[in-house]
């Protein structure tokens, strides 16, 4: 029995490596479809609780077929972040840097960053929400180069927002009795908590409505009171 298991595993590994090396359009398309289904399962159940059986059921296959694409749940999860999420974060950082370079008032730049973030969550659902949901600092592969790079991009986005808040306080638009780091935490807290309830599709509240509501609540609360 052990010899049969090892032989089967070895054969599947060879098939997987061969398919990956060939990079056939059909294989890559099915792999992307599997990643999307896996992301939904991971978001619904959490990384620790989700199983390959859960993913296979959603993908419409059996567990054994998953091994044609990934050797383990861990490898599949890593691929989600390495192949998909890191690319989304990179695009968001480039877009945020472009907003920062615009000749606009700091308040308008900040609003555009809120819009950028929430639309990215909607357009790349559920990948970025999975990144928020699964605390990378608690996962065993958080020390890998790609995980460190994602953390760097996240901190860069947060720094851009913090710099704009400092500008708004310095120019007298925002109140100065609340530390800007606390303002930033409040803003990101609102935005990131949407991973619990904001989903694409026909709903009572969509991303555009959420952007307008959050900006109204945050900006009006942060405005410097008139003397």
């Amino acid at each position: 029995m052990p010899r049969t298991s090892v032989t089967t595993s070895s054969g599947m590994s060879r098939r997987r490596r061969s398919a990956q090396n060939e990079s056939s359009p059909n294989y890559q398309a099915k792999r992307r479809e599997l990643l999307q289904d896996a992301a939904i399962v991971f978001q619904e159940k959490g990384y620790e609780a989700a199983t390959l059986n859960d993913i296979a059921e959603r993908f419409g296959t059996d567990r054994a077929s998953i091994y044609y694409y990934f050797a383990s749940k861990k490898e599949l999860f890593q691929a989600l972040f390495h192949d998909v999420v890191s690319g989304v974060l990179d695009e968001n950082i480039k877009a945020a840097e472009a907003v920062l370079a615009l000749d606009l008032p700091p308040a308008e730049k900040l609003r555009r960053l809120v819009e950028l973030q929430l639309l990215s969550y909607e357009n790349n659902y559920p990948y970025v929400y999975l990144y928020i949901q699964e605390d990378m600092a608690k996962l065993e592969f958080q020390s890998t180069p790609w995980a460190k790079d994602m953390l760097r991009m996240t901190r860069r986005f947060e720094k851009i927002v913090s710099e704009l808040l400092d500008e708004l306080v310095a120019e007298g638009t925002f109140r100065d009795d609340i530390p800007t780091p606390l303002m930033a935490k409040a803003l990101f807290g609102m935005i990131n908590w949407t991973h619990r309830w904001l989903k694409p599709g026909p709903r009572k509240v969509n991303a555009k409505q959420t952007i307008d509501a959050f900006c109204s609540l945050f900006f009006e609360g942060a405005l410097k009171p008139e003397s």
Side-chain angles (χ1 to χ4, degrees):
M1 182 69 69
R3 178 175 295 178
T4 302
S5 177
V6 170
T7 302
T8 302
S9 175
S10 177
M12 183 62 74
S13 296
R14 285 196 297 271
R15 287 177 60 201
R16 182 170 57 250
R17 287 195 299 270
S18 176
Q20 289 172 341
N21 290 335
E22 290 176 7
S23 297
S24 68
N26 183 60
Y27 178 87
Q28 293 303 325
K30 294 297 289 184
R31 186 178 183 275
R32 287 193 296 271
E33 183 183 341
L34 174 56
L35 285 174
Q36 184 174 27
D37 285 343
I40 294 172
V41 172
F42 283 134
Q43 190 199 22
E44 291 176 349
K45 292 179 174 288
Y47 171 68
E48 295 297 339
T51 67
L52 285 180
N53 285 332
D54 295 326
I55 295 169
E57 182 179 356
R58 184 173 186 91
F59 191 53
T61 187
D62 54 37
R63 176 185 174 124
S65 298
I66 300 294
Y67 294 116
Y68 184 54
Y69 302 93
F70 299 99
S72 64
K73 182 179 80 168
K74 177 182 176 181
E75 183 180 287
L76 198 166
F77 192 76
Q78 285 182 302
L80 272 170
F81 286 88
H82 182 272
D83 298 359
V84 183
V85 179
S86 61
V88 174
L89 294 181
D90 184 55
E91 290 176 4
N92 287 352
I93 284 297
K94 290 177 181 176
E97 296 282 8
V99 168
L100 195 61
L102 293 173
D103 185 19
L104 293 171
E108 177 59 26
K109 291 181 182 180
L110 184 60
R111 180 185 172 84
R112 292 196 181 195
L113 291 179
V114 173
E115 182 177 17
L116 165 66
Q117 194 84 332
L118 282 168
L119 288 179
S120 176
Y121 291 171
E122 182 179 62
N123 295 332
N124 297 288
Y125 182 86
Y127 301 113
V128 184
Y129 277 156
L130 185 61
Y131 175 60
I132 296 169
Q133 174 182 300
E134 300 292 339
D135 188 349
M136 296 299 290
K138 296 179 181 177
L139 298 177
E140 57 183 304
F141 40 79
Q142 51 88 18
S143 61
T144 59
W146 57 266
K148 289 181 178 179
D149 195 46
M150 287 197 299
L151 181 59
R152 176 192 61 77
M153 289 187 285
T154 299
R155 287 177 174 168
R156 175 53 186 153
F157 194 96
E158 292 172 350
K159 188 173 186 292
I160 290 173
V161 169
S162 295
E163 289 173 351
L164 287 174
L165 290 173
D166 287 335
E167 284 187 53
L168 286 161
V169 171
E171 71 179 18
T173 300
F174 277 6
R175 56 199 307 158
D176 57 7
D177 59 333
I178 299 176
T180 52
L182 187 55
M183 286 189 192
K185 289 182 184 297
L187 181 58
F188 282 116
M190 285 197 303
I191 293 171
N192 290 341
W193 192 251
T194 58
H195 83 88
R196 297 292 296 271
W197 52 268
L198 185 61
K199 297 180 180 181
R203 288 181 172 271
K204 291 182 179 179
V205 178
N206 58 31
K208 179 62 172 62
Q209 292 169 310
T210 304
I211 292 164
D212 292 339
F214 281 9
C215 285
S216 293
L217 289 169
F218 182 79
F219 279 72
E220 291 176 19
L223 286 176
K224 185 174 183 179
E226 295 182 6
S227 303

